[in-house]
Amino acid sequence: ALAEAMRGGAYEIFATARRPGTLADMAGEHLYALALDVTDSQSIAAAVDEIIRRTGRIDILINNAGFGLIGPVAELSLDKLRLQFETNVLGQVAVSQAVIPHMVKQGGGIIANIGSVSGVTATPYAGAYCSSKAALNSLSDTMRMELAPFGIKVISVQPGGIRSKFGETAADSIGTPPQGGSLYSNAAEFLAKRARMSQNSPTSAEDFAAKLLEQLEKDNPPAVWRYGHGAQQLPFVKHWLPTGLLDRILSKKFGLDRLKKHT
């Protein structure tokens, strides 16, 4: 949706995916599909080199790679947790590091890191995803200050619920119960509920993309920008509600109160 929103402007757009064939129907005038796996340094270097070869510069980087790992922290696969951070955090940094020297050389640019309000307000069964987005939110704050002297603007984009396949993919990430059974078996239905939570009355991807493009094209884009279903409410309750009260509300919402019966 972001690539399509930019198609009408004066941009040369490079949409990336691990399998660029998934973007084949989008390719056309001023829009190109490139292979990019943000967890592979060689893939990153090849993609950046190809863009520089074609255009000689990179003005805007939108770090949008990411997925949601769902499951209670006590039972998460550590390998999957590492992949969560490799993709959602280290991958974003790696792509930025590959692009920053070109932006410095050309005198500036914009880096938009797609974080999440889930990085502000953590919820049960999404500790891996929420913590990865909290890390990205913090990294964006640091990058904004560190890169300002070089004319590079960094925007921390923190969406709420946006219509996509995110929920479907997150639901697929729920692993099988550990040997001997899960401590959370009485709340299994709530894991699936959390996986698909972002798709409850979501904002359309097209609306989100159009609004984000408006921010990117401002002379002074915002340091932090939130948009989408729940994007304002979740940070508000995190800031204003007492922690104990918020814990109780979320615990009930996601069936943790049932676990007392289980034990």
Side-chain angles (χ1 to χ4, degrees), residues 25-47:
D25 60 333
M26 291 175 53
E29 188 176 8
H30 304 299
L31 199 161
Y32 314 93
L34 282 183
L36 175 60
D37 181 344
V38 301
T39 67
D40 183 333
S41 59
Q42 292 184 336
S43 176
I44 294 170

Side-chain angles (χ1 to χ4, degrees), residues 56-232:
R57 61 189 295 120
I58 297 176
D59 295 292
I60 301 174
L61 167 64
I62 299 176
N63 275 317
N64 193 40
F67 73 97
L69 175 61
I70 298 298
V73 173
E75 298 176 355
L76 284 178
S77 158
L78 291 182
D79 286 340
K80 289 184 178 180
L81 181 57
R82 290 187 184 98
L83 181 59
Q84 178 82 108
F85 275 77
E86 285 284 349
T87 304
N88 291 17
V89 183
L90 300 181
Q92 315 273 5
V93 173
V95 175
S96 297
Q97 288 181 343
V99 168
I100 286 167
H102 299 286
M103 288 187 172
V104 171
K105 184 178 180 181
Q106 69 199 26
I110 297 174
I111 297 175
N113 290 327
I114 309 296
S116 172
V117 291
S118 292
V120 179
T121 310
T123 54
Y125 312 131
Y129 177 72
C130 293
S131 59
S132 73
K133 290 303 186 179
L136 185 60
N137 291 348
S138 293
L139 281 166
S140 298
D141 287 341
T142 299
M143 291 169 64
R144 183 179 65 250
M145 293 182 282
E146 292 178 345
L147 295 175
F150 306 103
I152 300 173
K153 300 173 183 178
V154 178
I155 304 173
S156 178
V157 182
Q158 299 175 9
I162 307 298
R163 185 179 299 116
S164 69
K165 293 183 179 180
F166 181 90
E168 179 182 323
T169 304
D172 289 342
S173 78
I174 300 174
T176 56
Q179 189 173 6
S182 171
L183 294 170
Y184 300 86
S185 58
N186 282 3
E189 66 187 88
F190 292 92
L191 271 74
K193 178 181 178 180
R194 176 58 187 90
R196 295 184 171 86
M197 189 173 72
S198 68
Q199 300 307 296
N200 296 332
S201 303
T203 298
S204 74
E206 293 73 20
D207 183 24
F208 171 78
K211 294 294 193 300
L212 176 55
L213 183 56
E214 289 178 6
Q215 305 306 311
L216 295 175
E217 292 181 334
K218 289 182 177 179
D219 292 335
N220 293 298
V224 178
W225 183 69
R226 295 173 179 148
Y227 189 78
H229 181 71
Q232 305 301 326

Side-chain angles (χ1 to χ4, degrees), residues 231-246:
Q232 305 301 326
Q233 296 94 320
L234 286 174
F236 179 86
V237 298
K238 175 65 175 179
H239 181 76
W240 290 107
L241 287 187
T243 300
L245 176 58
L246 182 58

